[in-house]
């Protein structure tokens, strides 16, 4: 038996092969393109504003560049080519005539039924021999027959007759499907034959070598070494190492900005060819802005000296970062584009620097790293006015407003807390300040900023009344989103400040996947019930950052520090979503109480531990909070004793509301005689005769008149 390899010379199977390969690539890519992105930045709402910076074209260009860098454009092109290929292959399949291989069947050849007897088979064979036997056959030209066709047909008839009558031939047919026994094994290859014929073999081998020996190892190696070069913060390991070496325990906000310029990521943007191009222009521009005292108020002589001490790419990266923070005009499209390109890279590096500062545990340096994130997102230098976060507000306008306020920097909340007439006067009734339209737009944006106001913070242990040594403590934060300048803010519902423990069987609530249901345990205070929780997390609006060339969702970080040592006691936990809606159906603030929790293990010793709770927003300046809080850890034995004492609750006074409720529970009403108590059943250990007497007494007792009106 031999093996034959046949190729698809007619092209009837080749389209199926190409269609399958194209579908394997095109369908998953199409799914990724059509499926809505689940990133927070892609699904969050936006703050409404029509303000556009002067360099808005460059900023939007950077967003599109990032979009292309994420290979979304390449995927779109690949999907388009894939669907065109699929369509072409489906067309070829539809128009190509396919020839199915015939199965050798003696009954079909003899044109008889499978239930035919041997006599019927022989009779049919004799009938065919009279017509197609070579000695008797007559060529019929009207049927386009040839003598060769007749002879071939007669050979098939003879084989069919033997397969049904001759024992050996019949065994071959039954075992191998053919009267001649085993046939050659044929393998079809769904590739056109011309690919490996006419001297094309070497090109096929070359293609296979490039695909399997070059392209596949390159793709796998690039993916593998790419993942090994990055940290969990998606920062190059070399950059993380440099940031670690640059860390200093006396660094300020400006020092953090200069530290970020050491990142290796800037090499891709400001390679050796671009490192010196325009550097003099950038340094001259930031020097003039700093000397003027308007924009770069945070750039000190020390910071400028550090920039001068750097070389190559790092020097230009540091200069561009300060130019971005000061919103300095470089009067060059190329330099301005590079200025906006380095900002997102610096923010990513700052996330790694936050992790490094957290590892050291020094609170001042950790806060500086958090504040640097605010400066980068808002394009505001350190020590500058928080009012620069509002549209149309320039450093000169901010200085004019703060000068009229007769104090230092004014936060957006302080500005919006002023009476309307005073706020409008200091913002519009001066030369070189806001116009009425610009003022209206700035106020509209300020009223949409998500300022998180703390209402209550406390410690608790789930299911316990006291915190004991080594227990798992929950730090609960109750806060409300109150946009600056909001009016008619409702009073806090005291029940919203409570934290209800989940039921024992509610696993989702215990694990934090949904809020604890209040159900029958909910209490009502002055006719008000606590607002309901929602199980689906809600996203705050994207950070209002018109100068930052990325969409960024605000994040709030909470951590506890030791008030005496200035060290981080409990690492930060970050909140990106809310558990209750910010706006109602009419778009008005709901002022709902938001609940955030973090867990940590209580200290091993009983006592009072003073902490400072820090709440930091990474996207807005001047919206952080700080509050002192004390954790009281009770000794286990003392906690048990105190718990037993609290269980022994005295009866409430009869003239109080609690006394009225207690009287209803016990069957009496204040001012009325209580019904007589039913006598208890006497339990005796007497003989069976005495037990029967007791039953009679019980029957008499059951007939006692208990009508209170008669007794009265």
């Amino acid at each position: 038996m031999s093996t034959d390899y046949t190729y698809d010379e007619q092209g009837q199977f080749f389209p199926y092969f190409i269609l399958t390969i194209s579908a394997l690539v095109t369908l998953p890519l199409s799914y990724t393109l059509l499926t809505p992105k689940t990133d927070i930045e892609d699904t969050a709402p936006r703050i409404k504003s029509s303000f556009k910076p002067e360099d808005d074209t460059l900023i939007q260009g950077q967003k599109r560049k990032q979009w292309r860098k994420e290979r979304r454009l390449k995927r779109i092109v690949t999907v388009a080519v894939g669907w065109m290929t699929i369509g072409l292959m489906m067309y070829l399949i539809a128009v190509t005539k396919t020839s199915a291989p015939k199965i050798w069947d003696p009954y079909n050849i003899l044109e008889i039924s499978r239930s035919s007897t041997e006599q019927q088979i022989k009779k049919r064979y004799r009938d065919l021999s009279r017509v197609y036997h070579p000695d008797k056959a007559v060529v019929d030209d009207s049927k386009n027959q040839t003598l060769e066709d007749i002879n071939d047909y007669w050979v098939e008839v003879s084989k069919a007759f033997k397969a049904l009558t001759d024992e050996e031939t019949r065994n071959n047919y039954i075992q191998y499907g053919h009267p001649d026994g085993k046939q050659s094994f044929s393998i079809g290859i769904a590739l056109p034959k011309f690919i490996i014929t006419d001297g094309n073999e070497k090109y096929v081998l070359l293609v296979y070598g490039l695909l399997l020996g070059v392209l596949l190892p390159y793709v796998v190696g690039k993916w593998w070494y790419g993942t090994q070069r990055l940290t969990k913060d998606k920062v190059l390991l070399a950059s993380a190492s440099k940031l670690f070496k640059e860390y200093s325990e006396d660094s300020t906000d400006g020092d953090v900005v200069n530290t970020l310029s050491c990142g290796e990521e800037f090499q891709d943007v400001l390679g050796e060819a671009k490192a010196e191009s325009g550097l003099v222009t950038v340094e001259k521009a930031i020097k003039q802005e700093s000397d003027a005292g308007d924009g770069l108020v945070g750039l000190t002589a020390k910071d400028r000296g550090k920039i001068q001490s750097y070389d190559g790419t790092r020097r230009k990266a540091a200069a561009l970062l300060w130019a971005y923070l000061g919103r300095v005009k470089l009067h060059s499209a190329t330099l301005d584009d590079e200025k906006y390109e380095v900002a997102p890279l610096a923010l990513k590096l700052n996330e790694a620097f936050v992790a490094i500062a957290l590892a050291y545990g020094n609170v001042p340096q950790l806060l500086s790293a958090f504040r640097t994130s605010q400066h980068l997102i808002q394009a505001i230098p350190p020590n500058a006015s928080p009012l620069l976060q509002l549209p149309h507000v320039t450093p000169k306008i901010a200085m004019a407003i703060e000068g009229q306020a007769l104090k230092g920097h004014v936060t957006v909340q302080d500005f919006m807390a002023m009476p309307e007439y005073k706020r409008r006067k200091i913002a519009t009734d001066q030369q070189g300040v806001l116009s009425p339209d610009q003022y209206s737009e700035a106020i509209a944006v300020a009223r949409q900023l998500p300022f998180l106001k703390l209402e209550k913070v406390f410690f608790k242990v789930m299911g316990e009344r006291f915190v004991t040594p080594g227990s798992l403590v929950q730090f609960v934060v109750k806060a409300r989103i109150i946009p600056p300048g909001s009016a008619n803010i409702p009073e806090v519902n005291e029940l919203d400040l409570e934290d209800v423990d989940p039921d024992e069987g509610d696993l989702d609530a215990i694990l934090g996947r949904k809020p604890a249901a209040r159900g029958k345990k909910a209490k009502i205070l002055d006719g008000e019930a606590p607002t309901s929780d929602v199980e689906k997390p809600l996203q705050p609006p994207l950070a209002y950052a018109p100068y930052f060339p990325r969409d960024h969702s605000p994040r709030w970080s909470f951590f506890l520090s030791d008030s005496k040592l200035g060290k981080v006691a409990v690492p930060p936990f970050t909140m990106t979503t809310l558990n209750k809606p910010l706006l109602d159906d009419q778009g008005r603030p709901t002022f709902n109480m938001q609940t955030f929790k973090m867990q940590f293990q209580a200290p091993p010793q009983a006592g009072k531990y003073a902490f400072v709770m820090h709440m930091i927003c990474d996207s807005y300046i001047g919206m952080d909070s700080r509050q002192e809080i004390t954790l009281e850890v009770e000794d286990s034995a003392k906690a048990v004793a105190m718990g037993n004492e609290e269980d022994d609750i005295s009866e409430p006074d009869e003239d109080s509301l609690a006394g009225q409720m207690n009287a209803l529970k016990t069957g009496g009403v204040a001012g009325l005689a209580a019904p007589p108590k039913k006598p208890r059943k006497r339990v005796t250990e007497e003989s069976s005769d005495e037990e029967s007497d007791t039953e009679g007494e019980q029957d008499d007792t059951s007939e006692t008149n208990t009508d209170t009106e008669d007794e009265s």
Side-chain angles (χ1 to χ4, degrees):
M1 182 187 69
S2 61
T3 302
D4 296 333
Y5 292 90
T6 59
Y7 292 89
D8 187 21
E9 298 182 18
Q10 290 79 24
Q12 54 182 334
F13 299 115
F14 179 66
Y16 291 94
F17 175 74
I18 300 299
L19 175 64
T20 303
I21 299 300
S22 301
L24 289 175
V25 176
T26 305
L27 293 179
L29 288 179
S30 301
Y31 177 79
T32 59
L33 287 176
L34 297 177
T35 303
K37 300 184 70 174
T38 57
D39 294 342
I40 296 178
E41 287 75 11
D42 297 312
T43 57
R46 297 176 182 271
I47 291 178
K48 298 178 182 179
S49 174
S50 59
F51 171 74
K52 292 184 179 180
E54 185 176 347
D55 293 334
D56 184 65
T57 303
L58 296 176
I59 296 172
Q60 298 301 323
Q62 283 296 325
K63 291 183 178 181
R64 291 191 295 269
K65 185 176 181 180
Q66 176 66 17
W67 185 77
R68 292 191 299 268
K69 189 176 181 180
E70 293 175 351
R71 301 179 180 178
R72 194 170 180 84
L73 181 62
K74 294 181 180 179
R75 281 186 286 170
I76 291 177
V77 174
T78 304
V79 167
V81 174
W83 282 112
M84 291 174 60
T85 304
I86 290 175
L88 177 61
M89 294 301 105
M90 294 181 68
Y91 171 77
L92 292 177
I93 291 172
V95 300
T96 302
K97 184 179 180 181
T98 59
S99 57
K102 294 182 179 180
I103 299 177
W104 194 87
D105 187 357
Y107 294 99
N108 288 338
I109 296 174
L110 297 176
E111 299 178 356
I112 58 176
S113 174
R114 293 184 178 274
S115 60
S116 300
T117 62
E118 186 174 353
Q119 293 180 354
Q120 291 174 336
I121 295 173
K122 291 180 178 180
K123 182 178 182 301
R124 178 58 179 168
Y125 176 73
R126 288 193 297 269
D127 293 341
L128 292 175
S129 65
R130 296 189 189 99
V131 179
Y132 296 103
H133 192 279
D135 296 337
K136 301 178 181 180
V138 178
V139 178
D140 188 355
D141 296 333
S142 62
K143 296 181 180 181
N144 293 326
Q145 287 182 341
T146 62
L147 185 60
E148 184 178 356
D149 293 336
I150 295 175
N151 291 336
D152 291 341
Y153 180 68
W154 176 249
V155 171
E156 292 297 318
V157 169
S158 300
K159 288 182 179 181
F161 177 70
K162 287 184 178 181
L164 297 179
T165 56
D166 184 71
E167 184 176 355
E168 182 179 355
T169 306
R170 185 178 181 86
N171 290 335
N172 287 336
Y173 168 66
I174 294 174
Q175 186 174 359
Y176 303 109
H178 199 277
D180 295 337
K182 276 188 178 181
Q183 302 296 301
S184 60
F185 184 72
S186 178
I187 299 177
I189 302 177
L191 292 175
K193 193 174 182 179
F194 72 87
I195 291 181
I196 62 169
T197 57
D198 300 329
N200 295 332
E201 300 92 341
K202 56 184 179 181
Y203 299 109
V204 174
L205 293 176
L206 179 62
V207 171
Y208 275 115
L210 291 175
L211 289 176
L212 301 179
V214 178
L215 183 60
L216 182 61
Y218 171 77
V219 172
V220 175
K222 184 178 180 181
W223 167 78
W224 172 253
Y225 288 110
T227 57
Q228 296 300 309
R229 293 173 59 202
L230 300 176
T231 65
K232 65 177 183 178
D233 297 316
K234 305 300 181 182
V235 171
L236 294 175
L237 286 173
S239 299
S241 177
K242 290 183 177 181
L243 291 173
F244 184 80
K245 295 177 181 179
E246 292 275 339
Y247 177 85
S248 174
E249 293 187 356
D250 57 353
S251 60
T252 62
D253 294 4
D255 294 331
V256 176
V257 175
N258 287 327
T259 298
L260 299 180
S261 63
C262 70
E264 291 291 327
E265 284 80 357
F266 295 114
Q267 294 290 342
D268 297 333
V269 180
L270 310 172
E272 296 298 333
K274 299 181 180 180
E276 301 296 333
S277 177
L279 177 59
V280 176
T281 303
V282 178
E283 291 182 345
K284 182 178 179 180
I286 61 176
K287 183 178 184 301
Q288 291 176 350
E289 195 76 15
S290 177
D291 294 339
D294 294 333
L296 282 174
V297 294
L299 181 61
T300 62
K302 173 186 174 183
D303 296 327
R304 279 187 291 183
K306 282 190 175 182
I307 296 175
Q308 298 293 330
S309 65
Y310 299 148
D311 296 324
T313 302
R314 181 173 184 181
R315 181 171 179 174
K316 188 174 183 180
L320 288 173
L321 280 176
W322 283 104
Y324 165 78
L325 293 174
R327 305 177 187 177
V328 179
K329 298 179 181 179
L330 302 179
H331 306 289
S332 170
T334 301
L335 293 177
D336 283 327
D337 192 57
E338 292 175 350
K339 174 183 68 177
Y340 291 111
E341 191 170 4
V342 299
L345 296 177
L347 182 63
K348 181 63 67 176
L349 290 167
N350 189 63
E351 293 178 3
F353 189 76
V354 168
I356 294 173
L358 181 60
Y360 279 98
N362 296 317
V363 174
Q365 284 66 45
L366 181 60
L367 294 177
S368 293
F370 276 125
R371 287 194 295 266
T372 301
S373 173
Q374 301 170 355
H375 298 316
L376 289 171
I377 292 174
Q378 293 296 333
I380 297 176
N383 302 322
S385 173
L387 295 179
L388 294 174
Q389 300 172 104
L390 301 179
H392 304 293
V393 177
T394 62
K396 291 184 178 180
I397 294 176
M399 291 178 62
I401 294 175
E402 292 175 343
Q404 290 292 321
L406 301 178
K407 61 178 184 178
H409 288 321
V410 177
T411 65
V412 177
Q413 305 91 280
D414 294 337
F415 179 65
M416 295 299 295
M418 297 179 184
E420 170 62 22
Y421 73 91
K422 181 179 180 181
R423 186 173 63 226
R424 181 179 291 273
K425 181 178 180 180
I426 65 176
T428 60
D429 291 352
Q430 302 181 64
Q431 184 177 2
V433 289
L434 298 175
S435 67
D437 292 340
Q438 292 174 341
Y439 170 79
S440 299
E441 187 167 5
I443 295 301
V445 170
R447 286 176 174 162
Q448 300 178 70
L449 300 181
F451 171 61
L452 190 63
K453 182 178 182 298
L454 295 177
E455 300 293 351
K456 184 179 180 181
V457 293
F458 57 94
F459 300 100
K460 61 170 289 188
V461 176
M462 187 181 300
E464 302 293 339
R465 296 180 182 177
F466 306 99
V467 178
T468 55
S471 59
L472 188 61
V473 180
Q474 283 189 342
F475 177 60
V476 184
V477 178
K478 296 284 186 175
R480 294 191 294 175
I481 296 289
I482 301 180
S486 299
N488 301 322
I489 302 174
E491 294 293 331
V492 176
N493 186 351
E494 293 298 328
L495 293 180
D496 285 336
L497 298 179
E498 296 181 1
D499 187 65
V500 180
D501 289 335
D503 297 332
E504 293 184 2
D506 195 350
L507 185 60
D508 290 335
I510 293 175
L511 297 179
R513 292 194 289 258
K514 73 171 187 178
R518 296 179 183 266
K520 298 180 180 179
K521 297 181 180 180
K523 295 180 289 184
I524 298 178
L525 181 63
D526 296 333
E528 294 184 1
T531 56
S532 60
D533 293 332
V534 295
E535 296 187 11
K536 183 179 179 181
L538 302 170
Q539 297 176 359
L542 292 177
Y544 181 75
Y547 295 92
F548 189 65
R550 296 287 187 275
D551 290 334
H552 183 80
S553 182
R555 295 166 171 81
W556 286 268
S557 298
F558 303 83
F559 70 93
L560 299 176
S561 64
D562 190 309
S563 59
K564 297 180 180 179
L565 301 178
K567 292 284 188 177
V568 175
V570 179
F573 78 97
T574 302
M575 185 277 299
T576 57
T577 57
L578 308 172
N579 52 18
K580 294 180 183 177
L582 296 180
L583 304 175
D584 57 15
D585 297 336
Q586 286 74 35
R588 295 171 300 188
T590 59
F591 307 108
N592 283 329
M593 188 69 67
Q594 311 291 339
T595 303
F596 315 113
K597 298 179 182 180
M598 64 183 293
Q599 290 185 338
F600 62 96
Q601 190 173 13
Q605 302 295 332
K608 293 184 178 181
Y609 297 86
F611 294 108
V612 178
M613 190 278 298
H614 298 270
M615 184 195 71
I616 311 294
C617 179
D618 75 332
S619 303
Y620 297 105
I621 300 173
M623 295 190 179
D624 305 332
S625 297
R626 179 181 182 274
Q627 182 171 329
E628 295 182 356
I629 184 172
T630 301
L631 172 63
E632 295 187 10
V633 181
E634 300 288 351
D635 184 77
S636 300
K638 182 179 178 181
V640 172
M642 294 173 64
N644 293 334
E645 291 178 2
E646 292 188 4
D647 289 337
D648 298 332
I649 303 175
S650 60
E651 293 292 332
D653 295 335
E654 194 171 303
D655 57 347
S656 65
L657 178 61
Q660 300 280 348
M661 299 298 294
N662 185 62
L664 288 175
K665 289 182 179 179
T666 56
V669 180
L672 297 177
K677 298 182 179 180
K678 294 182 180 181
R680 299 180 181 177
K681 294 182 180 180
R682 291 176 292 178
V683 180
T684 61
E685 297 181 357
E686 300 176 0
S687 61
S688 59
D689 295 336
E690 293 177 341
E691 288 178 358
S692 62
D693 294 337
T694 305
E695 292 176 359
E697 293 177 2
Q698 291 176 352
D699 293 338
D700 295 338
T701 304
S702 64
E703 295 175 358
T704 303
N705 189 357
T706 58
D707 193 343
T708 57
E709 293 182 358
D710 295 340
E711 292 179 359
S712 62

